[in-house]
Amino acid sequence: MSLEEDLRTTLHERATQHVPQPDLLGAVGAGIRRDRRRRQALAAGGAAVAIAVVAVAVPALRPDDTGPPPAPPAHSESPPAKMDLSWPKVPVVAFPMLPHWVPAGLGEPGVTRLGPNTRLDYTKGTQVLSAEIGPLQPDWEVEAEQEHMTTVNGRPAVVHASGSYDGSRPGDRFVGVRWQLPDKRWVQVLSLGPTTEADVLRFAEGLSTGSVPAPPTAFRVGAVPPQLALQHQSTDTTCLAPAAEAARERQPTGLCVTLTDEAEPPPGPSEKLSINGNPADYYAGVADLQIHLPNGKDLDITWDPESVPLTHEEAVHFATGIEAKG
């Protein structure tokens, strides 16, 4: 499921509710995580995961072995392995432009790293105003009813607009504007809600020199496998991936950690562990490790076994280095 499909589905569901919910982007992110878990489950059937299973000393079934699978190990404390892992040197995440005018009532901004791009989001219920900048050209999130050309700070720009979209309310509209800077980076502004095209263009024109730092994240990641770069970062999710993949993929991928209160246990048995004194479930078959925190939330660690083939020891060592805040 793409980001666009998740956004449309979420907006449609929210439109039937009498009281708008403030976590629109969080719901979209949850849908992306569900899609990642489905793809990981498929990948786990391949050779990469077969190698990982061997690495954790789980005996493979022989073709003539018709006996029941072994029972999951009992709850045990797993000390971290001795590995030379370190946090990759990456710049502090910040949106590299400063808006000089924002429509009233949208609240504080969020900043998200999307591969090589960075996005600035303002949300209020189902209303969204975002700006994204980077070398990758973002997708339009809504099909246009009309397009026309304009300029933004002297640069040619295209306006992509629609009088309605899935989940829109009376008076809502979609407006997007996209242009390219002299250094070849793309800038795109999208609005879902009552904001007029004139105000969207005023916001776009006001993006100039400066930056907006990302809000504090919900957890701190310590040691990580080498050769990985920061690919995604938002308040509650951090992903690391091989540098080449981080440079071309906007959606969360690679080795991801999400702090959530709705972790979905994947199918299949789990190995019971203790990570920093917290109970945890390790699902070798789908590359998933869930740590259950005392405050009722979960740290859900997932990875793509093809691009990030972690062994059992590496996954546990990485998990041990995560420090949840609050």
Side-chain angles (χ1 to χ4, degrees):
M1 182 176 290
S2 69
L3 177 62
E4 176 180 349
E5 292 168 339
D6 245 317
L7 180 59
R8 288 182 178 179
T9 300
T10 302
L11 286 172
H12 183 71
E13 292 173 351
R14 295 294 171 85
T16 63
Q17 299 178 2
H18 296 294
V19 181
Q21 301 296 317
D23 60 342
L24 173 63
L25 294 178
V28 174
I32 293 174
R33 291 193 293 274
R34 287 194 297 271
D35 179 60
R36 290 185 69 251
R37 185 173 286 114
R38 285 193 294 269
R39 289 186 285 111
Q40 287 166 345
L42 292 175
V49 171
I51 294 173
V53 172
V54 171
V56 301
V58 177
L61 292 177
R62 299 186 302 274
D64 60 346
D65 190 348
T66 58
H75 183 93
S76 61
E77 183 77 26
S78 295
K82 301 296 183 181
M83 298 181 185
D84 184 18
L85 307 185
S86 60
W87 175 248
K89 295 180 180 179
V90 295
V92 175
V93 175
F95 185 74
M97 303 180 85
L98 183 65
H100 287 273
W101 180 83
V102 180
L106 286 180
E108 296 299 315
V111 176
T112 304
R113 177 75 171 263
L114 301 167
N117 289 10
T118 309
R119 189 179 66 205
L120 178 71
D121 292 293
Y122 297 86
T123 62
K124 180 182 179 182
T126 59
Q127 184 178 355
V128 177
L129 177 65
S130 70
E132 183 173 333
I133 182 171
L136 299 183
Q137 180 175 288
D139 295 329
W140 300 116
E141 304 296 351
V142 174
E143 184 176 351
E145 294 178 349
Q146 55 178 301
E147 283 192 349
H148 62 270
M149 297 301 297
T150 186
T151 60
V152 174
N153 295 327
R155 303 293 298 177
V158 59
V159 175
H160 188 96
S162 176
S164 64
Y165 50 87
D166 290 346
S168 62
R169 303 164 299 179
D172 285 349
R173 62 187 64 82
F174 167 79
V175 181
V177 58
R178 178 194 294 158
W179 67 100
Q180 195 170 26
L181 299 175
D183 62 8
K184 304 303 182 182
R185 288 181 300 169
W186 292 97
V187 186
Q188 178 170 285
V189 174
L190 300 181
S191 173
L192 295 165
T195 306
T196 66
E197 180 177 322
D199 282 346
V200 171
L201 291 174
R202 181 181 176 186
F203 172 78
E205 290 273 1
L207 294 171
S208 59
T209 303
S211 64
V212 180
T217 57
F219 54 85
R220 184 184 65 82
V221 176
V224 304
Q227 310 304 318
L228 297 186
L230 183 66
Q231 187 274 332
H232 174 95
Q233 183 173 300
S234 56
T235 302
D236 60 2
T237 299
T238 294
C239 296
L240 301 118
E245 190 168 3
R248 66 172 181 263
E249 179 59 61
R250 291 175 64 253
Q251 293 192 11
T253 190
L255 170 61
C256 294
V257 185
T258 299
L259 182 66
T260 177
D261 53 10
E262 55 180 359
E264 301 176 5
S270 69
E271 177 185 353
K272 302 297 181 181
L273 303 175
S274 178
I275 305 293
N276 295 332
N278 300 308
D281 288 282
Y282 178 83
Y283 299 88
V286 291
D288 194 341
L289 173 56
Q290 297 180 357
I291 305 172
H292 312 297
L293 303 177
N295 61 4
K297 294 184 177 294
D298 299 310
L299 281 169
D300 192 9
I301 305 169
T302 61
W303 59 97
D304 180 351
E306 292 187 353
S307 63
V308 187
L310 295 183
T311 66
H312 179 282
E313 290 77 14
E314 288 171 332
V316 171
H317 187 49
F318 172 70
T320 303
I322 300 172
E323 179 184 348
K325 301 177 182 178

